[in-house]
Amino acid sequence: MIIVMKPDHTADELRELVMKMEKLGLKTHISKGERRTIVGLIGDRDILQEIPYTSFAGVESAHPILRPYKLVSREFKEDNTRFQVGPNCEFGGKAIPIIAGPCAVEGREVLEEIADALHELGIPLLRGGAFKPRTSPYSFQGLGEMALKFMSDVRERTGMPVVTEIMDPRDLLLVYKYADVLQIGTRNMQNFRLLTEVGQLDKPVILKRGMSATIKEFLMSAEYIMSRGNGKVILCERGIRTFETETRNTLDLSAVPLLKQLTHLPVIVDPSHALGRVDLIPAMTLAAVAAGADGLMIEVHVRPHEALSDGAQSLTPEGMANLIERLRPVAKAVGRELL
Amino acid sequence: MIIVMKPDHTADELRELVMKMEKLGLKTHISKGERRTIVGLIGDRDILQEIPYTSFAGVESAHPILRPYKLVSREFKEDNTRFQVGPNCEFGGKAIPIIAGPCAVEGREVLEEIADALHELGIPLLRGGAFKPRTSPYSFQGLGEMALKFMSDVRERTGMPVVTEIMDPRDLLLVYKYADVLQIGTRNMQNFRLLTEVGQLDKPVILKRGMSATIKEFLMSAEYIMSRGNGKVILCERGIRTFETETRNTLDLSAVPLLKQLTHLPVIVDPSHALGRVDLIPAMTLAAVAAGADGLMIEVHVRPHEALSDGAQSLTPEGMANLIERLRPVAKAVGRELL
Amino acid sequence: MIIVMKPDHTADELRELVMKMEKLGLKTHISKGERRTIVGLIGDRDILQEIPYTSFAGVESAHPILRPYKLVSREFKEDNTRFQVGPNCEFGGKAIPIIAGPCAVEGREVLEEIADALHELGIPLLRGGAFKPRTSPYSFQGLGEMALKFMSDVRERTGMPVVTEIMDPRDLLLVYKYADVLQIGTRNMQNFRLLTEVGQLDKPVILKRGMSATIKEFLMSAEYIMSRGNGKVILCERGIRTFETETRNTLDLSAVPLLKQLTHLPVIVDPSHALGRVDLIPAMTLAAVAAGADGLMIEVHVRPHEALSDGAQSLTPEGMANLIERLRPVAKAVGRELL
Amino acid sequence: MIIVMKPDHTADELRELVMKMEKLGLKTHISKGERRTIVGLIGDRDILQEIPYTSFAGVESAHPILRPYKLVSREFKEDNTRFQVGPNCEFGGKAIPIIAGPCAVEGREVLEEIADALHELGIPLLRGGAFKPRTSPYSFQGLGEMALKFMSDVRERTGMPVVTEIMDPRDLLLVYKYADVLQIGTRNMQNFRLLTEVGQLDKPVILKRGMSATIKEFLMSAEYIMSRGNGKVILCERGIRTFETETRNTLDLSAVPLLKQLTHLPVIVDPSHALGRVDLIPAMTLAAVAAGADGLMIEVHVRPHEALSDGAQSLTPEGMANLIERLRPVAKAVGRELL
């Protein structure tokens, strides 16, 4: 931590600051420049982060030097984290798994129809929402446990592991019972209680980036999960809020190589929620793979215009089949392959 | 809802769209312009909001005409919502209540010290965090129930009603038992389960604006609470995220007159979290009152540099006393008064 | 400047960095922590700013300690800058001047009508656009020199000094000839050639904040003007771009106390362009004065719905008269007065 | 244009609105819903855009239906615009040209060194700044005409056409004389006078997206150029400002397929300025090509740490050679090739 003193600070103020910092177990280095005096602080990262430096008299500003996350960082663990989901699907390896399915599970039949189409295309993982975070209290909120049962029945039949969102710590056991991978949605990226809970499970967690979160905040939320013992965290870029209104959000693909440099965790991309419109999804999915994505999450529906949520961004199975054809050569061109 | 057809749509596409919309109980008006055909839809707002228009063949874009909230709107209820907190404090009236206290309750003695100082200044309401949403899992997370007890003891002695944050639906009964006003923090503005829960209580709820939320989203979250029956919602502007780094967030005071035009609910301002630095708080508090704020929420600590969270933005009781002196004439100048 | 070395940097890389920095005349201080080695650099600010630190091998990041502006800073000049415009109007003093008038000058008669109404209200300064920066090439672009003549005739008759925007260095002499105060619009805040040109004039310049500019960038643009010799710079907060769509931009009033702390230059507020809708202007103008604004810039038109640009945000003279009545007590409450 | 009336508008207000609109030559369609009355307006786009609807009594809001640009739109011209630069390089075709070179021309020798290295790699176009828009007035501002001469000498020798930025309408003839392609920088995207000037030239113009510009604003700026007769406009995505601080800006690759849908103009990508750090450039360049970019603009310097501007984001020629090797298969995978 670097503390910059005000130009008019007094010797007493500097002395008191140094004394208090050393009392907290920190080492201090004072460096007097022409225009500013600077105090470097060395010591335990957690202590360093907690001190309200600018409330000390004479302090102008404080500049952290170290990144605040540990367990998720490449410094802490150099090799890519890899783990299995179901018998045939690995995250963090050379092969790129695709997670596909409807935004929300709307009924048994339509789910089966979608899942069968995806299974036929060789898609390894099925997604579907049982609990839906909706901006309006009057919108469809999901079928709850019934949706979970439908998905688990589909898994039985097709062998596809299922991915579903958890919104409330009270649903933990329920969702855990049915799902293979739990998802934390963008609006819950900083629902710290929920992060703490899924951090105690032994199943993988997809953590979606908050729609206005910085990369540092995103990684701090992953740190919450890892700090409780669950190392199977999958980071998911799903678009950030910008001024643009032609698309729902702006897919930040530079997050992919950046995250892969900062962390050992797998990084996947959800172009569907980022764009909110189906026509741009193919090009951006190709780009995601070229940027180094370790996985993809894509909404597919058999009849998008009948979808109870997010129909405008759903590919049809035909659209998905077509996209896969275009994806294969791009994956190969960057030394990867589709799972 | 206004649907704009693509320039090259077919007659069949238009016919099918109209048929499906009418099947859903909506009335349609077709209007053919030189460059575009437009379909107006009239009917139930909840149905109108749910349809994925752009997934219909031939549709270019869809433009909602009505705002999506009802119960919170001025159209629904013209007069300001007013309600009491404790025997002496009203929200929504001419007098402006101030809520003050530490960011987090750190211990019995320091809380009492702060509360006594505030009580002496005539501050009507005490705030203090028992459960703290912290970006880092390694930061102080609050004293939990112990903090709630300390606050409730202080209330016993001083008569000051207490305001505290709830982060988790599982804490509902606990927080309800001790608090007079429950607060939903900025990171939970779209924690829809939590909103639904506090919507079933009979105590007032302070809903803080999400740090990247639009006014529409903010009001939709208030609608969640009201739709469950709790009409005592206090909206709190607490700063939005912008590119500026000199302050923690950017206090959006234009939200105050804008919200007061759109909704009948009281609107308060928290300059402390918005700015994150104590030196700008006085000027912005004066401005908040001039802009029409119905209340203020300000962090005060007896020894800011010892605070376990957010010390850099805490006023001392002396600073608070000084601010109150400056606030009175401004409140009077805009036809208001401090409570 | 603080340089943070990568955890795996080599001794050679560190040595080479230090050598090159010292060759550039900078002093270096090396400080080895547990996790990182840090190099402090002391020396000429302009040299420090120009070095591409992270392109040196072994360097992780570079953190500037000093703010990059000089002449505009309070450190450089402690007292408020004050100067006259015309015989009766001062910027930077206790009294708050109001600049009012139409967005664009649309014709001689309508300008005279507006100016007379404003003059009668005691408004000291007249604004009006002769050259209009319009998003669309097909929109009204201003009357050019004719508009300047109309304004100068009005000044002759009423004594009101005139404020007008300059968009192009080639118009410099023309605008200089007619205007009392030159304005640089939000889209030209970083038109560095234009800044350099007005920096050589002896007339005051209103510099509008870029709609996505940080405070640092805003002050650097003012530094451009001052570095060429013109110290009569008036900073104008006019709203920043945010996600909100209910208003055109978001008026950032915290910029007012923040700027007044960082710089000695006068800071004024333009609520009209920030909000883009007339109904919120009164409340936000009161708030601007409460926040410490040194001046106001407000659009007024006699028949807003006939305005050729920005009619939706123009007050009528009656609205302006009403606003002035409400402003006086607020100004007094914060120890100021309207000019 | 769709006008929504306030719920409490009077019949007189509606009548007056309709009368005035028809007087302006517009056709009106009134549609009365349960909750709102709506007025559809049909007529000349330029007239529709200019009216300050919300300043009419009784009007709540106005919603444009048509996009405001014409000449740049796919509706106006369906086929991709293609044109030559120099004898061997085409924009808008299947082959992807790369523009490479230093941020600023720093001297004859270093430019030659860079250009020779690029020429050897087969890079078709050379970029280099003669006039540099710098945030600080104390930073290196470019060598001006001397730089232009150096570049033109290099062209003589290598045959590489040169691309350089123009900042000031007064430099028009000078830059026109030396450059093959003129570039408008991000800070000048809405320098409407400059746009108007380059719109009168017969040489291609690279228009960089403003760092906070929407796609609509970007296209409106291109419309400025085309409306003056110059149809050779190349749109360049170069990163937008977001909250992220790990990268300088955020490269918005979804702009590529979006722009290619909305306009017939070629769209290129500059990853160097977007990212501001060299390590992420390769991955994002691959992604840009996968997303459909029609060209690339990349900074290359022989000794990045000696660069007088933007060294931190410059590839070395070796880095560039390596990137080209990785780019070829990705281009092929999406049916393109490097020029």
Side-chain angles (χ1 to χ4, degrees):
Chain A
M1 186 70 60
I2 302 291
I3 310 298
V4 182
M5 302 300 292
K6 286 182 183 163
D8 58 354
H9 75 275
T10 66
D12 274 5
E13 287 168 350
L14 181 59
R15 208 175 309 123
E16 205 200 2
L17 175 77
V18 166
M19 224 179 58
K20 291 222 169 126
M21 293 301 114
E22 297 194 336
K23 220 167 136 188
L24 290 166
L26 303 171
K27 277 192 274 182
T28 58
H29 291 248
I30 299 174
S31 147
K32 301 202 180 206
E34 245 168 287
R35 308 174 72 92
R36 284 291 190 287
T37 293
I38 283 168
V39 183
L41 297 180
I42 292 171
D44 186 82
R45 173 154 41 178
D46 298 340
I47 294 174
L48 285 168
Q49 276 177 44
E50 289 293 288
I51 303 167
Y53 299 102
T54 55
S55 66
F56 282 86
V59 170
E60 183 173 283
S61 58
H63 306 254
I65 294 302
L66 294 178
R67 294 201 170 89
Y69 37 83
K70 303 178 207 179
L71 306 175
V72 301
S73 72
R74 277 258 185 231
E75 264 178 71
F76 181 80
K77 173 170 181 297
E78 208 174 318
D79 294 336
N80 284 347
T81 285
R82 303 168 73 140
F83 48 83
Q84 289 284 123
V85 176
N88 305 313
C89 173
E90 189 197 40
F91 278 85
K94 184 186 170 191
I96 300 171
I98 300 179
I99 305 163
C103 181
V105 175
E106 296 157 7
R108 179 185 288 277
E109 274 162 57
V110 67
L111 179 69
E112 285 178 350
E113 221 179 321
I114 296 168
D116 288 348
L118 294 171
H119 189 50
E120 208 165 299
L121 290 173
I123 301 288
L125 293 147
L126 179 68
R127 63 149 288 154
F131 303 105
K132 297 303 305 172
R134 302 301 299 273
T135 309
S136 164
Y138 311 115
S139 293
F140 174 61
Q141 310 271 326
L143 296 179
E145 185 168 5
M146 198 156 61
L148 296 171
K149 278 183 188 145
F150 295 160
M151 281 198 284
S152 128
D153 290 350
V154 164
R155 174 182 46 206
E156 200 100 328
R157 197 158 49 78
T158 62
M160 293 170 89
V162 303
V163 178
T164 201
E165 179 167 352
I166 178 163
M167 283 176 66
D168 188 327
R170 294 172 302 179
D171 299 330
L172 199 74
L173 289 180
L174 186 66
V175 176
Y176 179 79
K177 186 173 138 198
Y178 291 105
D180 299 283
V181 179
L182 285 80
Q183 178 182 314
I184 303 284
T186 184
R187 290 177 182 77
N188 282 314
M189 190 199 84
Q190 293 194 320
N191 185 333
F192 301 118
R193 288 297 187 88
L194 198 53
L195 299 177
T196 301
E197 292 298 337
V198 299
Q200 297 173 63
L201 303 181
D202 56 1
K203 288 188 175 176
V205 176
I206 293 177
L207 178 66
K208 290 199 149 187
R209 183 180 180 184
M211 70 184 88
S212 298
T214 60
I215 291 295
K216 190 175 86 177
E217 290 167 337
F218 190 17
L219 288 172
M220 284 309 284
S221 288
E223 183 86 12
Y224 255 92
I225 300 174
M226 285 199 73
S227 72
R228 285 307 185 100
N230 188 348
K232 295 179 183 173
V233 182
I234 299 163
L235 301 170
C236 181
E237 160 61 29
R238 51 74 67 209
I240 53 172
R241 188 164 271 195
T242 68
F243 304 137
E244 190 51 54
T245 55
E246 293 272 355
T247 50
R248 186 155 71 168
N249 289 129
T250 294
L251 188 64
D252 174 14
L253 284 186
S254 62
V256 176
L258 178 55
L259 283 169
K260 293 195 69 63
Q261 187 180 97
L262 296 173
T263 182
H264 49 83
L265 295 170
V267 180
I268 70 172
V269 171
D270 172 353
S272 307
H273 283 86
L275 299 162
R277 45 188 279 184
V278 83
D279 54 349
L280 306 178
I281 288 177
M284 293 311 286
T285 307
L286 300 180
V289 167
D294 295 317
L296 297 166
M297 190 171 214
I298 297 175
E299 282 188 16
V300 176
H301 197 287
V302 281
R303 288 174 297 281
H305 59 271
E306 291 180 5
L308 295 181
S309 93
D310 285 346
Q313 70 199 34
S314 291
L315 286 177
T316 57
E318 296 68 43
M320 190 69 207
N322 193 278
L323 175 54
I324 288 175
E325 280 322 291
R326 294 171 63 190
L327 268 175
R328 283 193 207 288
V330 173
K332 203 179 154 202
V334 294
R336 305 291 285 265
E337 64 195 32
L338 296 194
L339 187 71
Chain B
M1 187 69 60
I2 302 291
I3 309 298
V4 182
M5 301 302 291
K6 287 182 184 164
D8 57 354
H9 75 275
T10 66
D12 273 4
E13 286 167 350
L14 182 61
R15 207 175 310 122
E16 203 200 7
L17 176 77
V18 166
M19 224 180 59
K20 290 222 170 128
M21 294 301 114
E22 297 193 337
K23 219 168 137 189
L24 290 165
L26 303 171
K27 276 191 278 181
T28 59
H29 292 247
I30 297 175
S31 148
K32 301 201 181 207
E34 245 169 289
R35 308 175 72 93
R36 284 290 190 287
T37 294
I38 283 167
V39 183
L41 297 180
I42 292 171
D44 186 81
R45 173 155 41 181
D46 299 340
I47 293 173
L48 284 167
Q49 277 176 44
E50 290 292 288
I51 302 167
Y53 300 102
T54 54
S55 66
F56 281 86
V59 170
E60 182 174 284
S61 59
H63 305 254
I65 294 303
L66 293 178
R67 293 200 172 90
Y69 37 83
K70 304 178 207 178
L71 307 175
V72 302
S73 73
R74 278 260 184 229
E75 265 178 70
F76 181 79
K77 174 171 180 294
E78 207 175 320
D79 294 336
N80 284 347
T81 286
R82 302 169 72 141
F83 49 82
Q84 290 284 125
V85 177
N88 305 311
C89 174
E90 190 197 39
F91 279 85
K94 185 185 168 190
I96 300 171
I98 301 179
I99 305 163
C103 181
V105 175
E106 296 156 8
R108 179 184 288 278
E109 273 163 56
V110 67
L111 179 69
E112 286 179 348
E113 222 180 319
I114 295 168
D116 289 349
L118 294 171
H119 188 51
E120 208 165 299
L121 291 173
I123 301 289
L125 293 148
L126 179 68
R127 61 150 287 154
F131 303 104
K132 297 302 304 171
R134 302 301 300 275
T135 309
S136 165
Y138 312 114
S139 293
F140 174 62
Q141 310 270 326
L143 296 179
E145 185 169 6
M146 198 157 62
L148 296 171
K149 278 184 186 144
F150 295 160
M151 280 199 284
S152 128
D153 290 351
V154 163
R155 174 181 49 205
E156 199 100 327
R157 197 158 48 78
T158 61
M160 294 169 88
V162 303
V163 179
T164 202
E165 179 167 353
I166 179 162
M167 283 176 66
D168 188 328
R170 294 172 302 178
D171 298 330
L172 198 76
L173 290 181
L174 187 66
V175 175
Y176 179 79
K177 185 172 138 199
Y178 291 106
D180 299 285
V181 180
L182 285 81
Q183 179 183 312
I184 303 283
T186 184
R187 290 177 182 77
N188 282 314
M189 190 200 85
Q190 292 194 319
N191 184 333
F192 301 117
R193 289 294 188 88
L194 198 53
L195 299 176
T196 300
E197 292 297 338
V198 300
Q200 297 174 63
L201 303 181
D202 57 0
K203 290 189 173 176
V205 175
I206 293 177
L207 178 65
K208 290 199 148 188
R209 181 179 180 185
M211 69 185 89
S212 298
T214 60
I215 291 296
K216 191 176 85 176
E217 290 167 335
F218 191 17
L219 288 172
M220 284 308 284
S221 288
E223 184 86 12
Y224 255 93
I225 301 173
M226 285 197 74
S227 71
R228 285 306 185 102
N230 189 349
K232 295 180 182 171
V233 181
I234 300 163
L235 301 170
C236 181
E237 160 62 29
R238 51 73 68 207
I240 52 172
R241 187 164 272 196
T242 67
F243 305 136
E244 189 52 53
T245 55
E246 291 273 353
T247 49
R248 184 155 70 168
N249 290 129
T250 294
L251 189 64
D252 174 14
L253 285 186
S254 62
V256 177
L258 178 56
L259 283 168
K260 293 194 70 61
Q261 187 180 98
L262 297 172
T263 181
H264 50 83
L265 295 170
V267 180
I268 70 172
V269 172
D270 171 354
S272 306
H273 282 86
L275 298 162
R277 43 188 281 183
V278 84
D279 54 349
L280 306 177
I281 289 176
M284 293 312 286
T285 307
L286 300 179
V289 168
D294 294 318
L296 297 166
M297 191 173 214
I298 298 176
E299 282 189 16
V300 177
H301 197 286
V302 280
R303 288 174 297 280
H305 59 270
E306 291 181 4
L308 295 182
S309 93
D310 285 346
Q313 71 199 35
S314 292
L315 285 177
T316 58
E318 296 68 43
M320 189 70 206
N322 191 277
L323 175 54
I324 288 174
E325 280 322 292
R326 295 170 64 189
L327 269 175
R328 282 193 206 288
V330 174
K332 205 179 151 202
V334 294
R336 305 292 285 266
E337 64 194 32
L338 296 192
L339 186 73
Chain C
M1 188 67 62
I2 302 291
I3 309 299
V4 182
M5 303 299 292
K6 287 183 183 163
D8 58 354
H9 75 273
T10 65
D12 273 5
E13 287 168 349
L14 181 60
R15 207 175 310 119
E16 205 201 4
L17 176 77
V18 166
M19 226 179 58
K20 291 223 168 125
M21 295 301 115
E22 296 193 337
K23 221 168 136 188
L24 290 165
L26 304 171
K27 274 192 279 181
T28 59
H29 291 249
I30 297 174
S31 148
K32 302 204 180 204
E34 246 168 286
R35 307 174 72 93
R36 284 292 190 287
T37 293
I38 282 167
V39 183
L41 297 180
I42 292 171
D44 187 81
R45 176 156 37 182
D46 298 340
I47 294 173
L48 284 168
Q49 277 176 45
E50 289 292 288
I51 303 167
Y53 299 103
T54 54
S55 66
F56 281 87
V59 169
E60 183 174 283
S61 58
H63 305 255
I65 294 303
L66 293 179
R67 294 203 171 86
Y69 37 83
K70 303 179 207 179
L71 306 175
V72 301
S73 73
R74 276 262 183 229
E75 265 177 71
F76 181 79
K77 173 169 180 297
E78 209 174 318
D79 293 336
N80 284 347
T81 286
R82 302 168 72 141
F83 48 83
Q84 290 285 124
V85 176
N88 305 311
C89 174
E90 188 197 40
F91 279 86
K94 185 185 168 190
I96 299 171
I98 300 179
I99 306 162
C103 181
V105 175
E106 297 155 8
R108 179 185 288 278
E109 272 162 59
V110 68
L111 179 70
E112 285 178 350
E113 220 178 322
I114 296 168
D116 289 349
L118 294 171
H119 189 50
E120 206 164 301
L121 291 173
I123 302 288
L125 294 146
L126 179 68
R127 62 151 287 155
F131 304 103
K132 298 302 304 171
R134 303 301 299 274
T135 309
S136 165
Y138 311 115
S139 293
F140 174 61
Q141 311 270 328
L143 297 180
E145 185 168 6
M146 196 157 62
L148 296 171
K149 279 183 187 146
F150 294 160
M151 281 199 285
S152 126
D153 290 351
V154 164
R155 174 182 48 207
E156 200 101 328
R157 195 158 49 77
T158 62
M160 294 170 88
V162 303
V163 178
T164 202
E165 179 167 352
I166 178 163
M167 282 176 66
D168 188 327
R170 295 171 301 179
D171 298 330
L172 199 75
L173 290 180
L174 186 66
V175 176
Y176 179 80
K177 183 171 139 200
Y178 290 105
D180 299 283
V181 179
L182 285 80
Q183 179 184 313
I184 304 283
T186 185
R187 289 177 182 77
N188 281 315
M189 191 200 85
Q190 293 194 319
N191 185 333
F192 301 118
R193 289 295 188 86
L194 197 53
L195 299 177
T196 301
E197 292 298 338
V198 299
Q200 297 174 63
L201 303 181
D202 56 1
K203 288 189 174 176
V205 175
I206 293 178
L207 178 66
K208 289 200 150 189
R209 182 180 179 184
M211 71 184 87
S212 297
T214 61
I215 292 296
K216 191 176 85 176
E217 290 167 337
F218 191 16
L219 288 172
M220 284 310 285
S221 288
E223 184 87 12
Y224 254 93
I225 301 174
M226 286 198 72
S227 71
R228 285 309 185 100
N230 188 348
K232 295 179 183 172
V233 180
I234 299 163
L235 301 170
C236 181
E237 160 61 29
R238 50 76 65 209
I240 53 173
R241 186 164 272 197
T242 68
F243 304 136
E244 190 52 54
T245 54
E246 292 272 354
T247 50
R248 185 155 70 169
N249 290 129
T250 294
L251 188 63
D252 175 14
L253 285 186
S254 61
V256 176
L258 178 56
L259 284 168
K260 293 197 67 63
Q261 187 180 96
L262 296 172
T263 181
H264 49 83
L265 296 169
V267 180
I268 71 173
V269 172
D270 171 354
S272 306
H273 283 87
L275 299 162
R277 45 188 279 183
V278 84
D279 55 349
L280 306 177
I281 289 175
M284 293 312 287
T285 307
L286 300 179
V289 167
D294 294 318
L296 297 165
M297 189 169 216
I298 297 175
E299 282 188 17
V300 177
H301 196 285
V302 280
R303 286 174 300 279
H305 59 270
E306 291 180 6
L308 295 182
S309 94
D310 285 346
Q313 70 199 33
S314 292
L315 286 177
T316 58
E318 296 68 43
M320 190 69 206
N322 193 278
L323 175 54
I324 289 174
E325 279 322 290
R326 294 170 64 189
L327 268 176
R328 283 193 206 287
V330 174
K332 203 178 154 204
V334 294
R336 306 291 285 266
E337 64 195 33
L338 296 193
L339 187 72
Chain D
M1 187 70 60
I2 303 291
I3 309 299
V4 182
M5 301 301 290
K6 286 182 185 164
D8 57 354
H9 75 273
T10 65
D12 274 5
E13 287 168 351
L14 181 59
R15 207 174 311 120
E16 206 201 0
L17 177 76
V18 165
M19 225 180 59
K20 291 223 169 127
M21 293 303 113
E22 297 193 336
K23 221 169 135 188
L24 290 165
L26 303 171
K27 275 191 278 182
T28 59
H29 292 248
I30 298 174
S31 147
K32 299 202 182 207
E34 245 169 286
R35 309 174 71 93
R36 286 287 191 287
T37 294
I38 284 168
V39 183
L41 298 180
I42 292 171
D44 186 80
R45 176 154 39 182
D46 298 342
I47 293 172
L48 285 168
Q49 277 176 44
E50 288 293 288
I51 302 166
Y53 300 101
T54 55
S55 66
F56 281 86
V59 169
E60 184 175 283
S61 57
H63 306 255
I65 294 302
L66 294 179
R67 294 202 171 88
Y69 36 84
K70 303 178 209 181
L71 306 175
V72 302
S73 73
R74 278 261 183 227
E75 264 177 72
F76 182 79
K77 172 171 181 298
E78 209 175 317
D79 293 337
N80 284 348
T81 286
R82 301 168 74 142
F83 49 83
Q84 289 285 123
V85 176
N88 305 312
C89 174
E90 189 197 39
F91 278 86
K94 184 185 169 191
I96 300 171
I98 300 178
I99 306 163
C103 181
V105 174
E106 297 157 7
R108 179 185 288 278
E109 273 162 58
V110 68
L111 179 70
E112 287 179 348
E113 219 178 322
I114 296 168
D116 289 348
L118 294 171
H119 189 50
E120 206 164 303
L121 291 173
I123 302 288
L125 292 146
L126 179 68
R127 61 150 288 157
F131 303 104
K132 297 302 304 171
R134 303 300 300 273
T135 309
S136 165
Y138 311 116
S139 293
F140 174 63
Q141 311 271 327
L143 296 180
E145 186 169 4
M146 197 157 61
L148 296 172
K149 279 183 188 144
F150 294 161
M151 281 198 285
S152 125
D153 290 350
V154 164
R155 175 182 47 207
E156 199 102 329
R157 195 157 50 76
T158 62
M160 293 168 88
V162 302
V163 178
T164 201
E165 179 166 352
I166 178 163
M167 282 176 66
D168 188 329
R170 296 172 300 180
D171 299 330
L172 200 75
L173 290 181
L174 186 66
V175 175
Y176 179 80
K177 184 173 139 199
Y178 291 106
D180 299 283
V181 179
L182 284 81
Q183 178 182 313
I184 303 284
T186 184
R187 290 176 183 77
N188 282 316
M189 189 200 84
Q190 293 195 319
N191 185 333
F192 302 117
R193 289 296 187 87
L194 197 53
L195 298 176
T196 301
E197 293 297 338
V198 299
Q200 297 172 64
L201 303 182
D202 56 1
K203 289 189 174 177
V205 175
I206 293 177
L207 178 66
K208 290 200 149 189
R209 182 180 180 183
M211 71 183 86
S212 298
T214 60
I215 291 296
K216 191 175 85 177
E217 290 167 336
F218 190 17
L219 288 172
M220 285 309 285
S221 288
E223 183 87 12
Y224 255 93
I225 300 173
M226 284 198 73
S227 71
R228 285 309 184 99
N230 188 348
K232 295 180 183 172
V233 180
I234 299 163
L235 301 170
C236 181
E237 159 62 30
R238 51 74 67 208
I240 54 173
R241 187 164 271 196
T242 67
F243 304 136
E244 190 52 55
T245 54
E246 292 273 354
T247 49
R248 185 154 72 168
N249 289 129
T250 294
L251 188 64
D252 175 13
L253 284 187
S254 61
V256 177
L258 179 56
L259 284 167
K260 293 194 68 63
Q261 187 179 96
L262 297 172
T263 182
H264 50 83
L265 295 170
V267 180
I268 69 172
V269 172
D270 172 353
S272 306
H273 282 87
L275 299 162
R277 44 188 280 183
V278 83
D279 54 349
L280 305 178
I281 289 176
M284 293 311 288
T285 307
L286 299 180
V289 167
D294 294 318
L296 298 165
M297 190 172 216
I298 298 176
E299 282 188 17
V300 177
H301 197 286
V302 280
R303 286 174 298 281
H305 59 270
E306 290 180 6
L308 295 182
S309 96
D310 286 346
Q313 71 199 32
S314 292
L315 286 177
T316 58
E318 294 71 40
M320 191 68 207
N322 193 277
L323 175 54
I324 289 175
E325 280 321 293
R326 294 171 63 190
L327 269 175
R328 284 195 205 287
V330 173
K332 203 178 154 204
V334 294
R336 307 289 288 265
E337 64 194 34
L338 295 194
L339 187 73

